[in-house]
Amino acid sequence: DAGITQSPRHKVTETGTPVTLRCHQTENHRYMYWYRQDPGHGLRLIHYSYGVKDTDKGEVSDGYSVSRSKTEDFLLTLESATSSQTSVYFCAISAGQGDTQYFGPGTRLTVL
Amino acid sequence: AQTVTQSQPEMSVQEAETVTLSCTYDTSESDYYLFWYKQPPSRQMILVIRQEAYKQQNATENRFSVNFQKAAKSFSLKISDSQLGDAAMYFCAYRSAFSGGGADGLTFGKGTHLIIQP
């Protein structure tokens, strides 16, 4: 299994509070991704990174920001959480552009 | 933008039988990658099989094989000798061979829930 961890694994928070999710990898892969999974939607790309300090938006980036200050960590921040951001969040990594993406265990976030 | 469609929300098969899960996609690109991922109740996303569009040969991984029809934009997954451990959600996914503008990410279908009857 690819060395990917996500923290926290579960979080309950209130509307309007900031939330940061962390993805950590031990594979030294260049690419990292954040997806969200909602019933009836499959997984959708939020943001991704193609190197340290290099990031780009995905399909559902509104309300989210990311940062990558070192190869192994990719942070997803909800500046002011809303109930519509209740979801399961997955981090993924890949070595190169066309390489297979491997997923972390997911974080279940509930915004009350 | 690319789209991926899985028309079977749920499928059921008897243990040891063969089942085929359907996936179609829409793209104007000629070079891309296709994947099947499995998500058991543990929620972990597990790669099942990968196909490069430029390869005509269908990918196989043990009991799992695909029928890749590029002209028809179809990418079905066949599971032979179904086992209880195959019960899961199965997601078909597309990835462009190009980069930038979100193209590096995967586009997923909505999934097929596979039930294995003992």
Short mmCIF file of all heavy atoms in Angstrom, two decimals, chain A residues 10-64:
data_model
loop_
_atom_site.label_atom_id
_atom_site.label_comp_id
_atom_site.label_asym_id
_atom_site.label_seq_id
_atom_site.Cartn_x
_atom_site.Cartn_y
_atom_site.Cartn_z
N HIS A 10 -11.79 11.75 11.37
CA HIS A 10 -13.17 12.19 11.57
C HIS A 10 -13.13 13.56 12.24
O HIS A 10 -12.28 13.82 13.09
CB HIS A 10 -13.94 11.23 12.48
CG HIS A 10 -13.99 9.83 11.97
ND1 HIS A 10 -14.96 9.36 11.12
CD2 HIS A 10 -13.17 8.78 12.19
CE1 HIS A 10 -14.74 8.09 10.84
NE2 HIS A 10 -13.65 7.71 11.47
N LYS A 11 -14.06 14.42 11.81
CA LYS A 11 -14.14 15.73 12.45
C LYS A 11 -15.57 16.25 12.36
O LYS A 11 -16.21 16.15 11.31
CB LYS A 11 -13.19 16.73 11.81
CG LYS A 11 -13.14 18.07 12.56
CD LYS A 11 -12.07 18.97 12.04
CE LYS A 11 -12.02 20.28 12.83
NZ LYS A 11 -11.66 20.06 14.25
N VAL A 12 -16.04 16.78 13.47
CA VAL A 12 -17.32 17.46 13.53
C VAL A 12 -17.04 18.90 13.92
O VAL A 12 -16.33 19.16 14.89
CB VAL A 12 -18.27 16.81 14.55
CG1 VAL A 12 -19.60 17.56 14.59
CG2 VAL A 12 -18.50 15.34 14.22
N THR A 13 -17.58 19.83 13.15
CA THR A 13 -17.34 21.24 13.41
C THR A 13 -18.63 22.03 13.19
O THR A 13 -19.63 21.48 12.73
CB THR A 13 -16.21 21.77 12.52
OG1 THR A 13 -15.83 23.08 12.96
CG2 THR A 13 -16.66 21.85 11.07
N GLU A 14 -18.58 23.29 13.50
CA GLU A 14 -19.76 24.14 13.35
C GLU A 14 -19.60 25.09 12.17
O GLU A 14 -18.48 25.46 11.80
CB GLU A 14 -19.99 24.93 14.64
CG GLU A 14 -20.38 24.04 15.83
CD GLU A 14 -20.80 24.84 17.04
OE1 GLU A 14 -20.62 26.08 17.04
OE2 GLU A 14 -21.29 24.24 18.00
N THR A 15 -20.73 25.47 11.62
CA THR A 15 -20.72 26.41 10.50
C THR A 15 -19.96 27.67 10.87
O THR A 15 -20.11 28.21 11.96
CB THR A 15 -22.17 26.76 10.12
OG1 THR A 15 -22.85 25.58 9.70
CG2 THR A 15 -22.21 27.78 9.01
N GLY A 16 -19.11 28.12 9.94
CA GLY A 16 -18.37 29.36 10.13
C GLY A 16 -16.98 29.18 10.71
O GLY A 16 -16.19 30.13 10.72
N THR A 17 -16.65 28.00 11.17
CA THR A 17 -15.33 27.78 11.75
C THR A 17 -14.34 27.35 10.67
O THR A 17 -14.73 26.72 9.68
CB THR A 17 -15.36 26.71 12.86
OG1 THR A 17 -15.84 25.48 12.29
CG2 THR A 17 -16.29 27.13 13.98
N PRO A 18 -13.07 27.68 10.85
CA PRO A 18 -12.06 27.21 9.87
C PRO A 18 -11.68 25.77 10.16
O PRO A 18 -11.66 25.33 11.32
CB PRO A 18 -10.88 28.16 10.13
CG PRO A 18 -11.04 28.58 11.55
CD PRO A 18 -12.51 28.59 11.84
N VAL A 19 -11.38 25.04 9.10
CA VAL A 19 -10.99 23.63 9.22
C VAL A 19 -9.81 23.37 8.29
O VAL A 19 -9.80 23.82 7.15
CB VAL A 19 -12.15 22.69 8.82
CG1 VAL A 19 -11.70 21.24 8.86
CG2 VAL A 19 -13.37 22.91 9.73
N THR A 20 -8.83 22.64 8.78
CA THR A 20 -7.70 22.22 7.94
C THR A 20 -7.55 20.72 8.00
O THR A 20 -7.48 20.13 9.09
CB THR A 20 -6.40 22.90 8.37
OG1 THR A 20 -6.51 24.31 8.16
CG2 THR A 20 -5.23 22.38 7.53
N LEU A 21 -7.51 20.11 6.83
CA LEU A 21 -7.27 18.67 6.71
C LEU A 21 -5.85 18.49 6.16
O LEU A 21 -5.40 19.23 5.28
CB LEU A 21 -8.28 18.03 5.77
CG LEU A 21 -9.76 18.30 6.08
CD1 LEU A 21 -10.64 17.54 5.08
CD2 LEU A 21 -10.12 17.95 7.50
N ARG A 22 -5.19 17.45 6.67
CA ARG A 22 -3.81 17.21 6.28
C ARG A 22 -3.67 15.88 5.55
O ARG A 22 -4.25 14.86 5.96
CB ARG A 22 -2.91 17.22 7.49
CG ARG A 22 -1.43 16.96 7.19
CD ARG A 22 -0.61 16.90 8.46
NE ARG A 22 0.81 16.75 8.22
CZ ARG A 22 1.57 15.79 8.76
NH1 ARG A 22 1.02 14.91 9.57
NH2 ARG A 22 2.86 15.73 8.50
N CYS A 23 -2.88 15.90 4.50
CA CYS A 23 -2.50 14.68 3.80
C CYS A 23 -0.98 14.57 3.86
O CYS A 23 -0.27 15.54 3.52
CB CYS A 23 -2.96 14.73 2.35
SG CYS A 23 -2.46 13.29 1.38
N HIS A 24 -0.51 13.42 4.27
CA HIS A 24 0.93 13.19 4.40
C HIS A 24 1.32 11.94 3.63
O HIS A 24 0.67 10.89 3.76
CB HIS A 24 1.30 13.03 5.88
CG HIS A 24 2.75 12.76 6.11
ND1 HIS A 24 3.72 13.75 6.05
CD2 HIS A 24 3.41 11.60 6.37
CE1 HIS A 24 4.90 13.21 6.29
NE2 HIS A 24 4.74 11.92 6.48
N GLN A 25 2.37 12.03 2.83
CA GLN A 25 2.83 10.87 2.05
C GLN A 25 4.30 10.59 2.33
O GLN A 25 5.09 11.50 2.62
CB GLN A 25 2.64 11.13 0.55
CG GLN A 25 3.40 12.34 0.03
CD GLN A 25 3.95 12.17 -1.36
OE1 GLN A 25 4.29 11.06 -1.79
NE2 GLN A 25 4.05 13.28 -2.09
N THR A 26 4.65 9.34 2.23
CA THR A 26 6.05 8.92 2.43
C THR A 26 6.65 8.37 1.15
O THR A 26 7.72 7.75 1.17
CB THR A 26 6.14 7.86 3.54
OG1 THR A 26 5.33 6.74 3.17
CG2 THR A 26 5.65 8.42 4.88
N GLU A 27 5.97 8.59 0.01
CA GLU A 27 6.40 8.03 -1.27
C GLU A 27 7.24 8.99 -2.10
O GLU A 27 7.75 8.63 -3.15
CB GLU A 27 5.18 7.60 -2.09
CG GLU A 27 4.26 6.64 -1.37
CD GLU A 27 4.93 5.31 -1.06
OE1 GLU A 27 5.71 4.83 -1.92
OE2 GLU A 27 4.71 4.78 0.04
N ASN A 28 7.33 10.24 -1.67
CA ASN A 28 8.07 11.26 -2.42
C ASN A 28 7.48 11.49 -3.81
O ASN A 28 8.20 11.81 -4.77
CB ASN A 28 9.56 10.89 -2.55
CG ASN A 28 10.44 12.10 -2.88
OD1 ASN A 28 10.18 13.20 -2.42
ND2 ASN A 28 11.45 11.90 -3.70
N HIS A 29 6.16 11.32 -3.93
CA HIS A 29 5.50 11.54 -5.21
C HIS A 29 5.29 13.03 -5.46
O HIS A 29 5.02 13.80 -4.54
CB HIS A 29 4.15 10.83 -5.23
CG HIS A 29 4.29 9.35 -5.48
ND1 HIS A 29 5.48 8.72 -5.72
CD2 HIS A 29 3.35 8.38 -5.53
CE1 HIS A 29 5.28 7.43 -5.91
NE2 HIS A 29 4.00 7.20 -5.80
N ARG A 30 5.37 13.41 -6.73
CA ARG A 30 5.28 14.81 -7.09
C ARG A 30 3.84 15.35 -7.02
O ARG A 30 3.62 16.48 -6.62
CB ARG A 30 5.81 15.00 -8.52
CG ARG A 30 5.74 16.43 -9.02
CD ARG A 30 6.20 16.54 -10.45
NE ARG A 30 6.00 17.89 -10.97
CZ ARG A 30 6.14 18.23 -12.25
NH1 ARG A 30 6.48 17.31 -13.13
NH2 ARG A 30 5.94 19.46 -12.63
N TYR A 31 2.88 14.52 -7.43
CA TYR A 31 1.50 14.99 -7.54
C TYR A 31 0.69 14.59 -6.31
O TYR A 31 0.75 13.45 -5.84
CB TYR A 31 0.83 14.40 -8.78
CG TYR A 31 1.32 14.99 -10.08
CD1 TYR A 31 2.53 14.59 -10.63
CD2 TYR A 31 0.56 15.91 -10.77
CE1 TYR A 31 2.99 15.12 -11.82
CE2 TYR A 31 1.00 16.45 -11.97
CZ TYR A 31 2.21 16.05 -12.49
OH TYR A 31 2.64 16.58 -13.68
N MET A 32 -0.12 15.55 -5.84
CA MET A 32 -1.06 15.27 -4.75
C MET A 32 -2.39 15.92 -5.08
O MET A 32 -2.43 16.97 -5.74
CB MET A 32 -0.51 15.77 -3.41
CG MET A 32 0.80 15.12 -2.99
SD MET A 32 1.38 15.59 -1.37
CE MET A 32 0.28 14.65 -0.29
N TYR A 33 -3.47 15.28 -4.61
CA TYR A 33 -4.82 15.69 -4.99
C TYR A 33 -5.74 15.66 -3.77
O TYR A 33 -5.57 14.84 -2.87
CB TYR A 33 -5.41 14.72 -6.03
CG TYR A 33 -4.51 14.41 -7.19
CD1 TYR A 33 -3.50 13.45 -7.08
CD2 TYR A 33 -4.68 15.04 -8.42
CE1 TYR A 33 -2.67 13.15 -8.16
CE2 TYR A 33 -3.87 14.74 -9.50
CZ TYR A 33 -2.87 13.80 -9.37
OH TYR A 33 -2.05 13.51 -10.42
N TRP A 34 -6.75 16.53 -3.82
CA TRP A 34 -7.86 16.44 -2.86
C TRP A 34 -9.16 16.26 -3.62
O TRP A 34 -9.46 17.00 -4.57
CB TRP A 34 -7.96 17.72 -2.01
CG TRP A 34 -7.03 17.77 -0.86
CD1 TRP A 34 -5.91 18.53 -0.73
CD2 TRP A 34 -7.13 17.01 0.36
NE1 TRP A 34 -5.32 18.31 0.49
CE2 TRP A 34 -6.05 17.38 1.18
CE3 TRP A 34 -8.05 16.08 0.84
CZ2 TRP A 34 -5.85 16.85 2.45
CZ3 TRP A 34 -7.84 15.55 2.10
CH2 TRP A 34 -6.76 15.93 2.90
N TYR A 35 -9.94 15.24 -3.19
CA TYR A 35 -11.25 14.97 -3.74
C TYR A 35 -12.27 14.98 -2.61
O TYR A 35 -11.94 14.73 -1.45
CB TYR A 35 -11.30 13.57 -4.38
CG TYR A 35 -10.46 13.37 -5.60
CD1 TYR A 35 -9.11 13.01 -5.51
CD2 TYR A 35 -11.00 13.51 -6.87
CE1 TYR A 35 -8.35 12.81 -6.64
CE2 TYR A 35 -10.24 13.30 -8.01
CZ TYR A 35 -8.91 12.95 -7.88
OH TYR A 35 -8.15 12.74 -9.01
N ARG A 36 -13.52 15.21 -3.00
CA ARG A 36 -14.60 14.99 -2.04
C ARG A 36 -15.57 13.97 -2.63
O ARG A 36 -15.73 13.89 -3.86
CB ARG A 36 -15.33 16.29 -1.69
CG ARG A 36 -16.01 17.01 -2.84
CD ARG A 36 -16.74 18.27 -2.35
NE ARG A 36 -17.96 17.93 -1.59
CZ ARG A 36 -18.72 18.82 -0.98
NH1 ARG A 36 -18.40 20.11 -0.99
NH2 ARG A 36 -19.81 18.44 -0.33
N GLN A 37 -16.17 13.18 -1.73
CA GLN A 37 -17.11 12.16 -2.16
C GLN A 37 -18.45 12.40 -1.49
O GLN A 37 -18.54 12.42 -0.26
CB GLN A 37 -16.61 10.75 -1.80
CG GLN A 37 -17.54 9.65 -2.29
CD GLN A 37 -17.03 8.25 -2.00
OE1 GLN A 37 -16.26 8.04 -1.06
NE2 GLN A 37 -17.43 7.30 -2.81
N ASP A 38 -19.47 12.55 -2.31
CA ASP A 38 -20.83 12.76 -1.82
C ASP A 38 -21.75 11.74 -2.45
O ASP A 38 -21.53 11.32 -3.60
CB ASP A 38 -21.31 14.17 -2.19
CG ASP A 38 -20.38 15.25 -1.67
OD1 ASP A 38 -20.32 15.40 -0.45
OD2 ASP A 38 -19.70 15.90 -2.48
N PRO A 39 -22.80 11.34 -1.76
CA PRO A 39 -23.75 10.38 -2.34
C PRO A 39 -24.28 10.87 -3.68
O PRO A 39 -24.67 12.02 -3.81
CB PRO A 39 -24.84 10.32 -1.27
CG PRO A 39 -24.18 10.72 -0.01
CD PRO A 39 -23.15 11.74 -0.39
N GLY A 40 -24.26 9.98 -4.66
CA GLY A 40 -24.80 10.33 -5.97
C GLY A 40 -23.86 11.11 -6.86
O GLY A 40 -24.23 11.47 -7.98
N HIS A 41 -22.64 11.39 -6.38
CA HIS A 41 -21.71 12.19 -7.17
C HIS A 41 -20.38 11.50 -7.43
O HIS A 41 -19.55 12.05 -8.13
CB HIS A 41 -21.43 13.52 -6.49
CG HIS A 41 -22.56 14.50 -6.59
ND1 HIS A 41 -22.79 15.26 -7.72
CD2 HIS A 41 -23.53 14.82 -5.72
CE1 HIS A 41 -23.85 16.03 -7.51
NE2 HIS A 41 -24.32 15.78 -6.32
N GLY A 42 -20.13 10.36 -6.88
CA GLY A 42 -18.79 9.80 -7.01
C GLY A 42 -17.79 10.72 -6.34
O GLY A 42 -18.10 11.45 -5.41
N LEU A 43 -16.55 10.71 -6.82
CA LEU A 43 -15.52 11.59 -6.28
C LEU A 43 -15.31 12.75 -7.24
O LEU A 43 -15.31 12.56 -8.47
CB LEU A 43 -14.18 10.84 -6.12
CG LEU A 43 -14.04 9.98 -4.87
CD1 LEU A 43 -14.80 8.68 -5.01
CD2 LEU A 43 -12.57 9.71 -4.59
N ARG A 44 -15.11 13.93 -6.69
CA ARG A 44 -14.87 15.12 -7.50
C ARG A 44 -13.62 15.84 -7.02
O ARG A 44 -13.39 15.99 -5.83
CB ARG A 44 -16.09 16.06 -7.43
CG ARG A 44 -17.33 15.49 -8.09
CD ARG A 44 -18.50 16.43 -7.96
NE ARG A 44 -18.96 16.54 -6.58
CZ ARG A 44 -19.89 17.39 -6.17
NH1 ARG A 44 -20.46 18.22 -7.03
NH2 ARG A 44 -20.27 17.41 -4.90
N LEU A 45 -12.83 16.32 -7.98
CA LEU A 45 -11.56 16.95 -7.69
C LEU A 45 -11.75 18.36 -7.15
O LEU A 45 -12.47 19.17 -7.74
CB LEU A 45 -10.70 16.99 -8.96
CG LEU A 45 -9.31 17.60 -8.83
CD1 LEU A 45 -8.41 16.71 -7.96
CD2 LEU A 45 -8.68 17.79 -10.21
N ILE A 46 -11.08 18.66 -6.03
CA ILE A 46 -11.17 19.99 -5.42
C ILE A 46 -9.97 20.84 -5.86
O ILE A 46 -10.12 21.91 -6.44
CB ILE A 46 -11.20 19.89 -3.88
CG1 ILE A 46 -12.33 18.98 -3.41
CG2 ILE A 46 -11.36 21.29 -3.26
CD1 ILE A 46 -12.29 18.68 -1.91
N HIS A 47 -8.79 20.39 -5.52
CA HIS A 47 -7.53 21.04 -5.90
C HIS A 47 -6.48 19.95 -6.07
O HIS A 47 -6.63 18.85 -5.55
CB HIS A 47 -7.04 21.99 -4.79
CG HIS A 47 -7.72 23.30 -4.70
ND1 HIS A 47 -7.42 24.37 -5.53
CD2 HIS A 47 -8.67 23.74 -3.85
CE1 HIS A 47 -8.17 25.41 -5.19
NE2 HIS A 47 -8.94 25.05 -4.17
N TYR A 48 -5.41 20.31 -6.75
CA TYR A 48 -4.30 19.39 -6.82
C TYR A 48 -2.99 20.17 -6.85
O TYR A 48 -2.98 21.39 -7.05
CB TYR A 48 -4.41 18.46 -8.03
CG TYR A 48 -4.22 19.13 -9.37
CD1 TYR A 48 -3.01 19.07 -10.05
CD2 TYR A 48 -5.28 19.80 -9.98
CE1 TYR A 48 -2.85 19.67 -11.28
CE2 TYR A 48 -5.13 20.40 -11.20
CZ TYR A 48 -3.92 20.33 -11.85
OH TYR A 48 -3.77 20.93 -13.07
N SER A 49 -1.90 19.45 -6.63
CA SER A 49 -0.58 20.06 -6.62
C SER A 49 0.35 19.24 -7.51
O SER A 49 0.35 18.01 -7.45
CB SER A 49 -0.03 20.09 -5.19
OG SER A 49 1.34 20.45 -5.19
N TYR A 50 1.14 19.94 -8.30
CA TYR A 50 2.10 19.27 -9.18
C TYR A 50 3.53 19.56 -8.77
O TYR A 50 4.47 19.36 -9.55
CB TYR A 50 1.85 19.63 -10.65
CG TYR A 50 1.68 21.10 -10.93
CD1 TYR A 50 2.75 21.88 -11.35
CD2 TYR A 50 0.44 21.71 -10.79
CE1 TYR A 50 2.59 23.22 -11.62
CE2 TYR A 50 0.28 23.06 -11.06
CZ TYR A 50 1.34 23.82 -11.47
OH TYR A 50 1.20 25.16 -11.73
N GLY A 51 3.71 20.05 -7.55
CA GLY A 51 5.03 20.29 -6.99
C GLY A 51 4.90 21.21 -5.79
O GLY A 51 3.83 21.78 -5.54
N VAL A 52 6.00 21.37 -5.06
CA VAL A 52 5.98 22.25 -3.91
C VAL A 52 5.60 23.67 -4.35
O VAL A 52 6.18 24.21 -5.29
CB VAL A 52 7.36 22.25 -3.22
CG1 VAL A 52 7.41 23.30 -2.11
CG2 VAL A 52 7.66 20.87 -2.66
N LYS A 53 4.59 24.20 -3.70
CA LYS A 53 4.05 25.55 -3.95
C LYS A 53 3.37 25.69 -5.31
O LYS A 53 3.00 26.81 -5.70
CB LYS A 53 5.14 26.61 -3.77
CG LYS A 53 5.69 26.66 -2.36
CD LYS A 53 6.68 27.80 -2.16
CE LYS A 53 7.18 27.80 -0.71
NZ LYS A 53 8.16 28.89 -0.48
N ASP A 54 3.18 24.58 -6.03
CA ASP A 54 2.49 24.60 -7.32
C ASP A 54 1.15 23.90 -7.18
O ASP A 54 1.09 22.68 -6.97
CB ASP A 54 3.32 23.90 -8.40
CG ASP A 54 4.57 24.67 -8.74
OD1 ASP A 54 4.52 25.91 -8.76
OD2 ASP A 54 5.61 24.01 -8.96
N THR A 55 0.06 24.68 -7.30
CA THR A 55 -1.27 24.09 -7.15
C THR A 55 -2.19 24.61 -8.25
O THR A 55 -1.92 25.62 -8.89
CB THR A 55 -1.88 24.43 -5.77
OG1 THR A 55 -2.09 25.84 -5.67
CG2 THR A 55 -0.98 23.97 -4.64
N ASP A 56 -3.29 23.89 -8.44
CA ASP A 56 -4.27 24.31 -9.43
C ASP A 56 -5.65 23.87 -8.96
O ASP A 56 -5.78 22.97 -8.11
CB ASP A 56 -3.95 23.70 -10.79
CG ASP A 56 -4.57 24.48 -11.94
OD1 ASP A 56 -5.37 25.41 -11.69
OD2 ASP A 56 -4.25 24.16 -13.10
N LYS A 57 -6.68 24.53 -9.51
CA LYS A 57 -8.04 24.24 -9.10
C LYS A 57 -8.62 23.05 -9.84
O LYS A 57 -8.25 22.77 -10.98
CB LYS A 57 -8.93 25.47 -9.36
CG LYS A 57 -8.55 26.69 -8.55
CD LYS A 57 -9.46 27.85 -8.90
CE LYS A 57 -9.11 29.07 -8.06
NZ LYS A 57 -9.99 30.24 -8.39
N GLY A 58 -9.55 22.39 -9.17
CA GLY A 58 -10.31 21.33 -9.79
C GLY A 58 -11.73 21.74 -10.04
O GLY A 58 -12.06 22.93 -10.08
N GLU A 59 -12.59 20.75 -10.16
CA GLU A 59 -13.99 20.98 -10.52
C GLU A 59 -14.79 21.72 -9.46
O GLU A 59 -15.68 22.52 -9.77
CB GLU A 59 -14.64 19.61 -10.80
CG GLU A 59 -16.13 19.65 -11.11
CD GLU A 59 -16.73 18.25 -11.18
OE1 GLU A 59 -15.98 17.26 -11.03
OE2 GLU A 59 -17.96 18.16 -11.36
N VAL A 60 -14.50 21.47 -8.17
CA VAL A 60 -15.33 22.02 -7.09
C VAL A 60 -14.46 22.76 -6.08
O VAL A 60 -14.47 22.45 -4.89
CB VAL A 60 -16.15 20.91 -6.42
CG1 VAL A 60 -17.24 20.41 -7.34
CG2 VAL A 60 -15.28 19.75 -5.96
N SER A 61 -13.72 23.76 -6.52
CA SER A 61 -12.74 24.43 -5.68
C SER A 61 -13.30 25.58 -4.84
O SER A 61 -12.64 26.03 -3.90
CB SER A 61 -11.60 24.96 -6.55
OG SER A 61 -12.11 25.88 -7.50
N ASP A 62 -14.49 26.05 -5.13
CA ASP A 62 -15.04 27.20 -4.39
C ASP A 62 -15.17 26.87 -2.91
O ASP A 62 -15.74 25.86 -2.53
CB ASP A 62 -16.41 27.60 -4.97
CG ASP A 62 -16.29 28.27 -6.31
OD1 ASP A 62 -15.16 28.61 -6.72
OD2 ASP A 62 -17.33 28.45 -6.97
N GLY A 63 -14.65 27.78 -2.07
CA GLY A 63 -14.74 27.60 -0.63
C GLY A 63 -13.58 26.83 -0.03
O GLY A 63 -13.53 26.63 1.19
N TYR A 64 -12.63 26.43 -0.86
CA TYR A 64 -11.47 25.66 -0.42
C TYR A 64 -10.18 26.33 -0.85
O TYR A 64 -10.12 26.92 -1.93
CB TYR A 64 -11.48 24.25 -1.01
CG TYR A 64 -12.68 23.42 -0.70
CD1 TYR A 64 -13.76 23.36 -1.58
CD2 TYR A 64 -12.74 22.66 0.47
CE1 TYR A 64 -14.86 22.57 -1.30
CE2 TYR A 64 -13.84 21.85 0.74
CZ TYR A 64 -14.90 21.82 -0.15
OH TYR A 64 -15.98 21.04 0.12
#
